[in-house]
Amino acid sequence: MPDYSGPGAAAGAPLQRVVLSSHALTDASAPALAALIALEEVRRIQRELVSEEELAVAKSSLIETFPRRFESASQIASVFSTDAFFDRSHDYWQLWRSEVEAVTLLR
């Protein structure tokens, strides 16, 4: 399994589980095919190392879309209620971009 590092991440620490979802209007046989394709992609992600290019694109996307988290009052309230739930520090969002930028691949 690939090893990822960045501030706050212990080297070799297990990755967090994620939930993937997708929505599409299809014929009756397509959901099974879509599930197989999604499962194969998850398996590929587990087997293969992330390339420098993939990491750069992911980091750029996260950083560039960051302001969208705070576009409306309801989004701000949602972000800060999530922060309270996870007991995040008050400087979490001030440090977030630089911590994303600091993520590197360990080979």
Side-chain angles (χ1 to χ4, degrees):
M1 183 167 291
D3 196 3
Y4 303 95
S5 176
L15 300 177
Q16 294 180 351
R17 293 182 186 262
V18 296
V19 175
L20 304 174
S21 65
S22 176
H23 302 282
L25 297 174
T26 62
D27 65 51
S29 63
L33 179 58
L36 288 173
I37 292 169
L39 184 57
E40 179 52 36
E41 182 64 11
V42 169
R43 288 181 179 144
R44 184 191 68 79
I45 291 168
Q46 291 174 328
R47 285 189 314 266
E48 298 175 14
L49 295 175
V50 173
S51 70
E52 291 288 342
E53 180 182 1
E54 288 173 314
L55 180 60
V57 168
K59 288 168 42 174
S60 176
S61 176
L62 286 169
I63 291 167
E64 290 175 16
T65 60
F66 175 81
R68 293 186 193 148
R69 297 173 185 247
F70 303 93
E71 287 183 334
S72 70
S74 65
Q75 286 173 304
I76 293 168
S78 176
V79 165
F80 291 139
S81 65
T82 301
D83 291 349
F85 179 81
F86 288 108
D87 196 28
R88 291 181 179 144
S89 66
H90 294 292
D91 63 351
Y92 178 83
W93 293 110
Q94 292 170 334
L95 302 173
W96 187 86
R97 288 185 205 194
S98 62
E99 290 188 357
V100 170
E101 288 173 351
V103 172
T104 61
L105 297 176
L106 294 178
R107 301 278 182 187

